[in-house]
Amino acid sequence: MTARLESFVPAASPQTVSTPAPAAPAANAASQREARRAAHEALLTRWKAIVESGGADSWVQGQLVSRGLAVGDLDFARASDKEKTAWKEKKKAEAAERRALERQAHEAWKATHVAHLGAGVHWEEDAAGDKFDIAAREERARANGLPELDSTDALAKALGLSVSKLRWFAFHREVDTGSHYVSWKIPKRDGGSRTITSPKPELKEAQRWVLANVVEKLPVHGAAHGFVAGRSILTNALAHQGADVVVKVDLKDFFPSVTWRRVKGLLRKGGLPESASTLLALMATEAPREAVQFRGKLLYVAKGPRSLPQGAPTSPGITNALCLRLDKRLSALSKRLGFTYTRYADDLTFSWTKAKQPKAKRSQRPPVAVLLSRVQSVVEAEGFRVHPDKTRVARKGTRQRVTGLVVNEAANGKPAARVPRDVVRRLRAAIHNREQGKPGREGESLDQLKGMAAFIHMTDPVKGRAFLEQLAKLEAKEQQSPPAA
């Protein structure tokens, strides 16, 4: 590990080293932002002047001439010693000023160009189309309603970022001294834990722009119900209500299996040029990292390839667009075998209803084994894996749950897709205990109970509204109660 860290420890820079700073008043912070904005505008103006001059060398020479520092040639054969000494001093001053101007030109170039995005990332900022571009790329982009992002500068302006900040968000390092993300673990129902990796505010804001203006413009199959406008866990469950057989299949490591290169390919297929696709794919992904102390520094070491973080706003939408062909193939397979198919993120659900089958096939048993075998083949061909321990087959007569809702045939006026009774009973008991002045369970909050009530309201508005009203009264009562001494 030591040798590996030594080879990758990045040089200290304002962008990679995170140093705590004392809190500044709002006015001071605003003035600092204004100063940074003015400095950036000055760099942009300088680069424009360099381009108009015909390049960095021409601009530097022009600056030397305008400042009276350009020194002409000297005929040493005829010059006196005094003239030679004076000429050499002027050449030294000219050389020093030239080096300073060249640094300024390079700073202006860095402010308007990306240049490099880290080890293992192919990047050509000014490259034209290549063999991986789809035919009629611009037409595809317009058909999908994508913005014109034909240059790094255009993308940076669309995101409201400077080019240097865009490069910072996209740059890949195997070992870094900081991170654009914060991570924590949440418990899973099976007793394990799930790692949530959420971007910090500025990157999250940029990702939200990408989600609204790029990702959500890409086509999504009708079988996708998760994180799609107008669809929800309820619409996903209703597609399977009253079925004779419900088959549930879970995809293993769903987000981690979507690497940044797969995201780049998706965006290029959607119509974006390679440069914008590369930057956006890197911005939307991150490598799983381990925090390591090394020689007094806290370093974040990559443990695998960059992939979609579970917690970034762009991740669900990207998987929906990426799964378009998977959903098409599974929908066609389901139709051939007499099943109905939907997908909510990494949960695939198939249902078979006898009444929906052609009369000639109603006496036959649902081909569950054939379905599962072919589903696994399709899933693996599309770059995913079936979780071997999470495939479930629920037949009529047993409780059938789809995305947390019971979808067994409704009876006695019950909603077609409904919250399980144990959840309703748990909420009712929690509210009753609080009304009697008893403390809630450890870790139980009113916000959690309101979430349960809203969950019930989604499928049963009458019952859910009653619970929400009870919780509102409890909340008002707790706010009026004096704090404990």
Side-chain angles (χ1 to χ4, degrees):
M1 173 66 80
T2 301
R4 184 185 178 208
L5 287 176
E6 286 177 334
S7 63
F8 282 108
V9 171
S13 71
Q15 292 180 333
T16 59
V17 178
S18 178
T19 55
N28 188 33
S31 64
Q32 289 176 353
R33 287 195 299 271
E34 181 61 26
R36 288 194 297 268
R37 188 196 65 78
H40 180 66
E41 289 296 328
L43 289 172
L44 297 181
T45 302
R46 185 187 304 163
W47 181 251
K48 183 179 179 181
I50 291 171
V51 173
E52 291 174 350
S53 298
D57 291 341
S58 298
W59 178 79
V60 169
Q61 187 62 31
Q63 290 293 308
L64 290 172
V65 171
S66 66
R67 298 176 189 187
L69 294 173
V71 181
D73 295 333
L74 178 67
D75 187 351
F76 268 64
R78 297 182 179 181
S80 66
D81 291 341
K82 185 177 180 180
E83 289 173 333
K84 291 177 183 178
T85 301
W87 182 86
K88 288 178 182 179
E89 290 300 321
K90 290 181 180 179
K91 287 298 286 186
K92 287 181 182 179
E94 180 193 39
E97 186 67 15
R98 184 183 296 276
R99 287 193 295 270
L101 289 168
E102 286 172 348
R103 285 194 296 270
Q104 292 176 22
H106 184 63
E107 289 172 358
W109 183 86
K110 283 176 62 178
T112 52
H113 295 75
V114 169
H116 181 54
L117 287 171
V121 180
H122 175 265
W123 174 256
E124 290 186 54
E125 190 161 2
D126 300 320
D130 61 21
K131 64 180 182 180
F132 296 107
D133 276 336
I134 60 171
R137 180 189 65 76
E138 293 85 354
E139 287 77 358
R140 175 74 64 86
R142 283 194 290 271
N144 285 332
L146 300 182
E148 291 187 14
L149 303 174
D150 293 334
S151 68
T152 302
D153 188 54
L155 176 58
K157 287 180 178 177
L159 290 166
L161 302 172
S162 65
V163 171
S164 58
K165 183 62 70 69
L166 174 60
R167 178 176 59 244
W168 185 39
F169 282 150
F171 202 97
H172 173 70
R173 292 179 177 87
E174 288 293 312
V175 178
D176 207 345
T177 54
S179 176
H180 296 301
Y181 293 82
V182 292
S183 298
W184 66 93
K185 294 184 181 295
I186 60 173
K188 295 168 67 175
R189 285 187 296 180
D190 60 7
S193 63
R194 175 179 285 110
T195 300
I196 303 299
T197 304
S198 179
K200 292 178 181 177
E202 195 171 8
L203 176 57
K204 181 179 285 188
E205 188 64 27
Q207 288 180 345
R208 284 177 175 153
W209 184 93
V210 176
L211 176 65
N213 294 277
V214 177
V215 176
E216 290 184 342
K217 304 288 187 181
L218 301 175
V220 174
H221 196 272
H225 287 259
F227 310 97
V228 179
R231 304 178 201 172
S232 63
I233 61 172
L234 178 59
T235 62
N236 186 60
L238 286 172
H240 307 283
Q241 60 180 329
D244 291 280
V245 177
V246 173
V247 180
K248 295 168 62 179
V249 176
D250 188 83
L251 300 183
K252 185 175 177 61
D253 299 329
F254 186 51
F255 286 145
S257 64
V258 181
T259 62
W260 77 269
R261 287 183 173 85
R262 294 185 71 177
V263 178
K264 176 181 176 179
L266 169 72
L267 298 177
R268 294 194 71 177
K269 187 177 180 181
L272 290 184
E274 182 186 12
S275 59
S277 298
T278 302
L279 288 164
L280 293 179
L282 290 167
M283 278 183 58
T285 56
E286 171 63 321
R289 295 185 181 272
E290 180 180 0
V292 176
Q293 285 286 347
F294 179 72
R295 295 183 177 176
K297 289 184 178 181
L298 180 62
L299 302 177
Y300 296 86
V301 183
K303 299 189 296 182
R306 294 181 76 100
S307 58
L308 294 179
Q310 187 155 339
T314 44
S315 295
I318 288 173
T319 55
N320 276 339
L322 190 68
C323 285
L324 176 62
R325 192 169 67 174
L326 171 72
D327 291 336
K328 284 181 177 179
R329 294 181 66 180
L330 291 181
S331 292
L333 170 64
S334 300
K335 187 175 181 180
R336 287 198 303 272
L337 297 177
F339 286 83
T340 297
Y341 163 71
T342 63
R343 181 181 58 80
Y344 192 97
D346 57 351
D347 293 327
L348 315 181
T349 306
F350 307 83
S351 63
W352 187 91
T353 306
K354 183 177 180 179
K356 294 181 180 179
Q357 306 304 313
K359 289 184 179 180
K361 294 186 177 181
R362 288 183 186 177
S363 60
Q364 299 177 9
R365 298 181 64 182
V368 173
V370 176
L371 173 75
L372 291 175
S373 174
R374 295 184 184 176
V375 165
Q376 181 165 340
S377 297
V378 171
V379 166
E380 291 177 354
E382 293 299 322
F384 297 100
R385 289 186 296 160
V386 171
H387 199 302
D389 302 324
K390 293 191 176 181
T391 297
R392 299 286 184 270
V393 179
R395 300 183 183 276
K396 198 171 185 178
T398 63
R399 188 164 70 168
Q400 300 168 329
R401 290 179 63 166
V402 177
T403 45
L405 300 176
V406 177
V407 296
N408 294 79
E409 189 172 3
N412 301 325
K414 293 180 181 178
R418 54 202 179 276
V419 176
R421 284 179 293 181
D422 58 319
V423 176
V424 177
R425 289 170 180 165
R426 190 162 68 248
L427 176 60
R428 185 180 288 118
I431 293 175
H432 176 75
N433 288 338
R434 286 177 179 259
E435 288 176 338
Q436 298 300 313
K438 299 178 182 178
R441 292 182 178 182
E442 184 178 355
E444 180 184 86
S445 66
L446 269 178
D447 285 339
Q448 289 175 326
L449 298 182
K450 286 193 287 186
M452 293 172 67
F455 184 42
I456 295 169
H457 183 273
M458 179 178 59
T459 62
D460 191 340
V462 175
K463 186 179 293 184
R465 191 177 302 112
F467 283 136
L468 288 169
E469 289 172 357
Q470 287 179 283
L471 289 168
K473 291 178 182 177
L474 280 172
E475 187 174 33
K477 184 179 178 181
E478 288 189 6
Q479 290 174 349
Q480 292 172 358
S481 301

